[in-house]
Amino acid sequence: MEYRYLTQDILEKIENYKAKFPLKEQAIIPSLHEILEKYRDIPEKAVEELSDYLSVPLAEIEGIVSFYDMFRYKKNARNHIRICRNLPCHLARYQNILKMIKEKTGADVGKNSPDGKWYIELVECIGSCGIAPAFLINNDLYDGSKIKTEEDIEEILSRYE
Ligand code: FES
């Protein structure tokens, strides 16, 4: 198998984990952390590659990914939208932002848009309560209080076309 997500630096770290632990299964979680750190999510393809590399059944790694909230599949969409749903953002009506984003992208919470460009996730506080409702598109932080119309959302989304 050709590895696209398990880059040389990740493979080196996985090798260290394999050497450190008596069972190869014990290398799964630290390896997933390495993938998470590099990609900020767990791409499905990376899980397949890890399964191949460690010779551990795919279902076993998938089970770990779905069990722990910290390991989330990106579903391979090109852009990942994270909308905070905690109290300050709730009071600032994050639902309005979510509704507009859903309408404009065709994606839904936990689901890719049909064109594969967008994935929406509701997340816990992203440390930006001062600009509630706050959301991220990939690594870019947005102040939802400045978004008043659908055109405002369209303009932001167009930056990622
Ligand atoms: S509660 Fe939404 S950013 Fe903190």
Side-chain angles (χ1 to χ4, degrees):
M1 176 185 246
E2 197 179 317
Y3 299 130
R4 202 173 125 217
Y5 288 92
L6 299 191
T7 50
Q8 199 49 44
D9 54 328
I10 292 183
L11 288 173
E12 278 168 23
K13 286 175 181 153
I14 295 174
E15 274 307 308
N16 288 340
Y17 295 128
K18 277 171 69 182
K20 192 167 157 191
F21 299 117
L23 300 172
K24 58 189 178 186
E25 285 78 6
Q26 291 171 294
I28 296 174
I29 288 183
S31 302
L32 286 170
H33 274 292
E34 297 299 339
I35 293 168
L36 186 66
E37 197 177 307
K38 186 162 185 106
Y39 300 105
R40 302 190 74 238
D41 285 286
I42 306 291
E44 283 174 69
K45 207 81 190 102
V47 173
E48 287 171 27
E49 291 178 11
L50 187 62
S51 154
D52 183 76
Y53 190 75
L54 291 176
S55 302
V56 169
L58 182 59
E60 190 170 336
I61 303 182
E62 284 177 334
I64 291 172
V65 171
S66 56
F67 182 78
Y68 292 104
D69 274 356
M70 62 198 168
F71 300 134
R72 289 176 192 278
Y73 279 130
K74 186 174 182 178
K75 305 291 183 195
N76 296 329
R78 227 187 303 146
N79 298 294
H80 193 165
I81 303 173
R82 293 179 174 86
I83 303 173
C84 173
R85 64 172 168 199
N86 277 171
L87 191 60
C89 290
H90 185 80
L91 295 175
R93 301 198 51 76
Y94 79 83
Q95 296 93 332
N96 289 345
I97 302 289
L98 173 63
K99 184 168 174 279
M100 284 194 274
I101 287 179
K102 275 164 66 170
E103 279 171 11
K104 292 293 162 198
T105 61
D108 205 339
V109 176
K111 284 202 190 113
N112 274 357
S113 58
D115 61 8
K117 279 188 193 165
W118 309 98
Y119 180 74
I120 303 174
E121 183 183 9
L122 293 180
V123 295
E124 305 306 322
C125 180
I126 51 177
S128 306
C129 320
I131 56 167
F135 64 100
L136 288 159
I137 301 183
N138 303 329
N139 295 327
D140 305 325
L141 179 65
Y142 288 97
D143 176 349
S145 70
K146 297 216 169 93
I147 292 165
K148 304 289 180 212
T149 65
E150 291 190 356
E151 286 72 32
D152 296 335
I153 280 287
E154 262 172 15
E155 192 280 314
I156 288 174
L157 295 175
S158 70
R159 299 175 197 172
Y160 300 88
E161 290 297 336

